[in-house]
Amino acid sequence: MNWFKYRLPNTPEVVSGGSQRIIKGFAKGFVIAPFLNPDDGLMTIPYDIHDIDFFSNQEKSYIPASTTKKDYEEEIRVIKRALGDNRGKTVAARTIRIDIRIDLDSTFDNLCSSYPEAFVFMFSTPETGTWIGASPELLLSKEGDFLSTMALAGTRPFSGTDNEWDDKNREEQAMVTEFIIETLMKRCGTVTAGKTFTKRAGQLEHICTPIRAYMPQSDLAEKYEDSFSNRLRRLLTELSPTPALCGSDRALSLDLIGKSENFSREMYGGFCGPNDINGTSVFFVNLRSAKVSHDAICVFAGGGITALSDSEEEWNETEMKSKTIINKLKTSEE
């Protein structure tokens, strides 16, 4: 059984559904894409069954061991050496395994009440296993002929003040903004960036630049010789993984990640979301998330590494990010 459950930001409605089948590719339903090769790995859970009783694909899920602090420091050292003095970044991720049996529904409800501005999601297929998360990062949404996204990067504890961001975090966010605008301009009529602001995400905050693009469903079809659905799919897979989850130079970053991380990111750093479910098409980056098995979970967290990065600060940042999920877990015994 393939199933999904989600709640969009700042809305009370929870949508759940599933199907006995899975569609390889981009279709109507709940879309899921992995971190690596999102175009090839794209899949859709059709909205065949509404308001389902959840079935589990947890029992056979592989849960990796936790990344040690020594291994994470070595990953950062390798990345910094490769980057040298050049302007650029690569995202170093780590895993945190917790041997625990969680109650998925109670944890989902807790995430919804704790993070009203996040995209709270769960999905499960035999191929991916079961995932749960509360993502603050919109990858792309469609509203008529307009697309919306955001450049989200930089991390610090929430303070409730308007303090200036340091150079390292501002540089990270500028790289993400530049990449997203350049990618959208290849396929859209116009692209505009809004005012950059500090966005709260639970007990953390990030630098955020809202971005909108105009991609009419009819006017550009002849120019691009492609359907709107195919253009939307291609845009999604060109945006993902963004520099916020991969790095400013995608090819170099993917090479460094492959060489320095002793685990697969699987669906972490990819994207998911409803495509034409109840008239909504919106996709979020799969982060602040965990893979779930029947007796353990694996929380994934990462941070952007630049020439200015300090390994102790980066470790602490991933600790903060992982608590988004860890602090809201509900065990099956509770």
Side-chain angles (χ1 to χ4, degrees):
M1 181 67 177
N2 311 285
W3 57 260
F4 62 85
K5 184 176 183 178
Y6 68 86
R7 190 224 55 195
L8 295 173
N10 301 311
T11 63
E13 183 183 9
V14 173
V15 178
S16 63
S19 176
Q20 295 289 350
R21 61 194 177 107
I22 196 84
I23 299 173
K24 296 294 185 181
F26 188 69
K28 181 176 181 178
F30 192 85
V31 172
I32 307 165
F35 172 74
L36 285 177
N37 303 316
D39 201 12
D40 293 338
L42 202 62
M43 66 181 74
T44 304
I45 303 174
Y47 197 28
D48 293 339
I49 307 170
H50 301 186
D51 302 320
I52 65 168
D53 292 326
F54 295 113
F55 295 83
S56 173
N57 294 299
Q58 302 170 28
E59 285 72 14
K60 298 180 181 179
S61 294
Y62 168 74
I63 301 297
S66 296
T67 304
T68 67
K69 190 173 184 180
K70 181 179 178 181
D71 285 344
Y72 195 62
E73 289 172 346
E74 175 61 16
E75 181 179 359
I76 292 172
R77 187 189 67 79
V78 168
I79 291 171
K80 290 183 68 173
R81 183 176 62 189
L83 293 175
D85 296 327
N86 297 326
R87 177 181 179 266
K89 81 164 189 176
T90 291
V91 175
R94 56 179 281 233
T95 54
I96 303 169
R97 177 183 172 122
I98 304 173
D99 293 319
I100 187 176
R101 186 180 183 92
I102 72 165
D103 183 309
L104 280 171
D105 275 334
S106 296
T107 299
F108 181 93
D109 291 343
N110 203 21
L111 291 172
C112 286
S113 61
S114 300
Y115 308 120
E117 296 183 353
F119 174 66
V120 180
F121 64 92
M122 297 195 300
F123 63 82
S124 185
T125 76
E127 184 174 336
T128 64
T130 303
W131 289 73
I132 187 168
S135 175
E137 185 170 350
L138 173 69
L139 180 65
L140 201 66
S141 69
K142 180 180 78 70
E143 308 162 71
D145 291 341
F146 288 91
L147 304 177
S148 298
T149 183
M150 63 173 63
L152 190 76
T155 303
R156 68 187 183 190
F158 172 72
S159 65
T161 66
D162 292 325
N163 293 338
E164 288 291 321
W165 287 83
D166 60 27
D167 291 342
K168 187 260 184 184
N169 282 293
R170 284 190 283 113
E171 183 179 37
E172 270 195 75
Q173 205 271 342
M175 293 175 197
V176 179
T177 303
E178 180 180 327
F179 166 81
I180 291 175
I181 290 175
E182 288 180 355
T183 302
L184 289 172
M185 288 182 69
K186 296 175 185 177
R187 297 195 179 274
C188 300
T190 59
V191 180
T192 56
K195 184 178 179 181
T196 299
F197 66 100
T198 298
K199 176 180 173 65
R200 182 177 181 180
Q203 296 307 307
L204 303 176
E205 56 188 19
H206 310 283
I207 311 172
C208 181
T209 302
I211 301 170
R212 281 176 63 82
Y214 179 60
M215 192 173 80
Q217 300 188 40
S218 56
D219 295 7
L220 297 181
E222 183 176 347
K223 176 181 177 181
Y224 290 105
E225 298 181 348
D226 207 350
S227 69
F228 183 83
S229 179
N230 279 339
R231 282 185 283 132
L232 183 61
R233 174 186 60 80
R234 288 176 180 169
L235 190 51
L236 284 164
T237 56
E238 287 168 359
L239 286 169
S240 181
T242 72
L245 272 295
C246 179
S248 53
D249 183 323
R250 183 179 286 175
L252 172 63
S253 294
L254 288 175
D255 182 62
L256 289 171
I257 289 167
K259 290 178 178 177
S260 59
E261 292 181 359
N262 59 1
F263 59 91
S264 169
R265 294 191 183 184
E266 301 182 47
M267 313 314 290
Y268 168 72
F271 63 88
C272 62
N275 183 33
D276 197 19
I277 293 180
N278 299 338
T280 298
S281 293
V282 58
F283 312 94
F284 280 77
V285 180
N286 182 340
L287 76 164
R288 311 293 154 79
S289 58
K291 185 180 182 183
V292 183
S293 78
H294 69 290
D295 60 356
I297 71 164
C298 180
V299 177
F300 292 77
I305 308 304
T306 72
L308 300 175
S309 291
D310 174 82
S311 60
E312 186 69 23
E313 291 178 359
E314 297 296 339
W315 176 267
N316 292 337
E317 180 178 315
T318 57
E319 287 283 286
M320 289 190 298
K321 289 176 176 176
S322 67
K323 286 181 170 55
T324 300
I325 293 292
I326 293 172
N327 288 351
K328 304 304 176 183
L329 295 175
K330 294 291 186 179
T331 69
S332 58
E333 290 79 22
E334 290 184 30

